[in-house]
Amino acid sequence: MRPLIASIRLDHFRHNYLLARQQHGGRALAVVKANAYGHGAVRCAQAVADVADGYAVACLEEALQLRAAGIRLPILLLEGVFEPAELAEVQAHELWLVVQNREQLAMLLAAPAGKPYRIWLKMDSGMHRAGFFPADYAAAYRELEQSGKVDAIVKMTHFARADEPGCPATDAQIAAFDAATVGLGGDTSLANSAGIMIHANAHRDWGRPGIMLYGATPLPAGHAANVGLKAVMQLTTRIFGVRELGAGEPVGYGASFHTERPTRVGLMACGYADGYPRLASTGSPVLIDGTPSRVIGRVSMDMMTVDLTDIPQTGVGSTVELWGDNISVNDVAAQAGTIGYEVLCNVKRAHFRYEQASPMA
C-alpha cells in the first residue's frame, strides 16, 4: 500500500471546537464546508454531534450529505440557494438559509407557503463579495419579517481582514454593521475564526469557526492567540528510495536544484496529485524520523525528494511528516505562496485514517 497517510485526529477537532466556542461565548456553528476543509465532513460533524450548536456548509449538496449520515443538528447553507426548486429541500430537511442578495430574497418571497424558514440575512459591511449593502439591509429585513415565511432572522456579516492584527478594517465593518442594524431584532453573527480569536467586539450570539477547527491558525505565526489549537490532520509518508550525489548535481524536473555538496537524496511517496503544493519545492520543511529537513528539487506529480545528508540514520522506510504536530501546514503553504486553507482542502489520494474522538474530550 502506498504509504501516504492522512491521520485525522477527531479528538483534536473536538478540542478545537470546544476551544472556539469558549473563546467566542454564546453558540458556534462548526464550519464543515468543502468536505470539512479536506478532513471528511461526516466524520468531523459526528465527532462533535453531542456538543455542537450546529454546522455551516456551502451548499445544499453538502447539507444533504450530513443529513443522509444521520446528522440532525441545525445546518446553515452559507451560499444560500441557487434556484427556487432547492427551497423545497431546505424545508424538507429543516435547513437554515443565508439570504445575501435581492435574487435570493425574491425566490423566498415567491415560494409557496409552507414551514417557516430560519434565515440568516447577510450584510456587505465592507468585504464587497456578498450581502446587502448597509443602506438596503433594513428594508430587506422588513420584507422577510413581514412575509410570514420566516420564524427568525439572524443578522450576519463576514470579515475581509480579521486575520490582520491591528488592521482597522474589521472595526470599521463592525461599526457599519451595528449602525445599519439598529432597531432590528434577532440574533447576530459576525465572527469567523480570526474574529473569534482576536476581535472581542465581534463576539455576538453565534460564532462561525472554520479554519481554527482544523488546527491551522488564520493569524500570523507566533501570535499569542494561536496557543491551544491542535492540528487535526497529520500527513505522513515514507522514504522508498535513496541515492548519493556529488556536489553540483541536478535534482528533479527542470534541474531547478543543484546539490551544493555531496548529498544523500531521499525519495518519498507524495506529490502535487496528492495535494502537496507544487510550488512548495526546495526549502519546504519536513520532519524525517523526528529530525527537521527540507524538500529539494521540484515537487513531481507522485513523488518528492528530500535532503537526508545531515541525518545519516535515515533511509528507506523512514517516516516523513509533511505537516501535522511538528510541521505547520501554514509554513508549507507559505513556501508555495498560498494559505493553509487551500493546502488542506486539496489533499487527495492519501489513505485517510480516523482516530475516533472520545465523548469526554
Side-chain angles (χ1 to χ4, degrees):
M1 182 178 74
R2 191 161 180 260
L4 182 63
I5 308 297
S7 298
I8 308 299
R9 286 78 61 84
L10 295 173
D11 274 348
H12 290 191
F13 182 82
R14 188 179 175 90
H15 164 87
N16 294 337
Y17 173 79
L18 293 172
L19 179 66
R21 190 172 65 178
Q22 178 187 34
Q23 289 182 348
H24 179 268
R27 291 158 288 176
L29 294 182
V31 180
V32 293
K33 64 181 180 177
N35 195 31
Y37 293 45
H39 293 68
V42 169
R43 296 298 295 269
C44 288
Q46 290 171 335
V48 294
D50 61 323
V51 294
D53 299 306
Y55 308 96
V57 298
C59 56
L60 179 62
E61 299 96 303
E62 293 181 341
L64 295 183
Q65 180 189 33
L66 297 184
R67 286 288 187 249
I71 300 295
R72 306 313 322 159
L73 291 172
I75 303 173
L76 175 66
L77 306 186
L78 289 169
E79 294 180 359
V81 295
F82 299 95
E83 54 189 36
E86 291 184 321
L87 290 172
E89 295 273 27
V90 169
Q91 285 195 325
H93 295 280
E94 299 181 329
L95 305 175
W96 294 358
L97 186 63
V98 166
V99 171
Q100 59 185 314
N101 56 44
R102 177 57 57 178
E103 291 75 19
Q104 289 180 337
L105 178 60
M107 288 184 209
L108 188 67
L109 297 178
K115 289 186 292 186
Y117 297 90
R118 179 68 56 89
I119 299 300
W120 288 49
L121 185 63
K122 190 169 189 176
M123 181 190 297
D124 178 1
S125 60
M127 186 172 182
H128 298 338
R129 183 180 67 176
F132 290 87
F133 288 118
D136 303 321
Y137 190 82
Y141 182 100
R142 298 299 183 199
E143 286 185 71
L144 286 170
E145 186 179 47
Q146 296 165 13
S147 70
K149 295 182 178 180
V150 303
D151 65 358
I153 303 172
V154 178
K155 306 178 296 294
M156 72 177 296
T157 195
H158 191 61
F159 297 138
R161 303 179 67 181
D163 56 350
E164 300 176 41
C167 176
T170 300
D171 285 340
Q173 283 195 250
I174 294 171
F177 179 89
D178 287 343
T181 57
V182 170
L184 304 181
D187 287 348
T188 299
S189 176
L190 276 69
N192 54 4
S193 289
I196 290 171
M197 294 172 74
I198 62 171
H199 296 281
N201 54 341
H203 296 177
R204 304 297 172 88
D205 301 291
W206 290 90
R208 306 188 308 274
I211 192 65
M212 70 183 299
L213 299 181
Y214 308 95
T217 174
L219 303 177
H223 195 285
N226 295 334
V227 174
L229 296 176
K230 296 182 179 182
V232 176
M233 180 189 294
Q234 186 165 44
L235 188 66
T236 61
T237 188
R238 290 187 181 276
I239 302 294
F240 71 99
V242 176
R243 67 184 55 236
E244 305 274 353
L245 297 178
E249 295 292 337
V251 177
Y253 284 121
S256 62
F257 174 83
H258 286 74
T259 59
E260 300 163 349
R261 56 177 176 162
T263 302
R264 289 180 74 232
V265 179
L267 181 66
M268 60 184 183
C270 184
Y272 60 78
D274 302 298
Y276 196 93
R278 182 176 178 273
L279 294 180
S281 294
T282 297
S284 189
V286 294
L287 195 77
I288 306 174
D289 284 350
T291 300
S293 189
R294 60 174 181 157
V295 172
I296 54 176
R298 284 187 188 168
V299 175
S300 303
M301 182 178 287
D302 311 289
M303 295 178 285
M304 297 161 56
T305 45
V306 290
D307 192 347
L308 304 180
T309 310
D310 294 329
I311 39 179
Q313 72 275 19
T314 61
V316 172
S318 290
T319 297
V320 183
E321 180 186 301
L322 301 170
W323 60 72
D325 294 333
N326 303 287
I327 302 296
S328 168
V329 69
N330 286 348
D331 291 342
V332 175
Q335 186 72 22
T338 185
I339 56 175
Y341 301 67
E342 181 181 16
V343 173
L344 290 171
C345 286
N346 283 338
V347 174
K348 307 176 183 72
R349 300 200 309 173
H351 299 281
F352 277 69
R353 294 180 178 172
Y354 289 89
E355 300 174 15
Q356 190 58 47
S358 165
M360 298 304 294

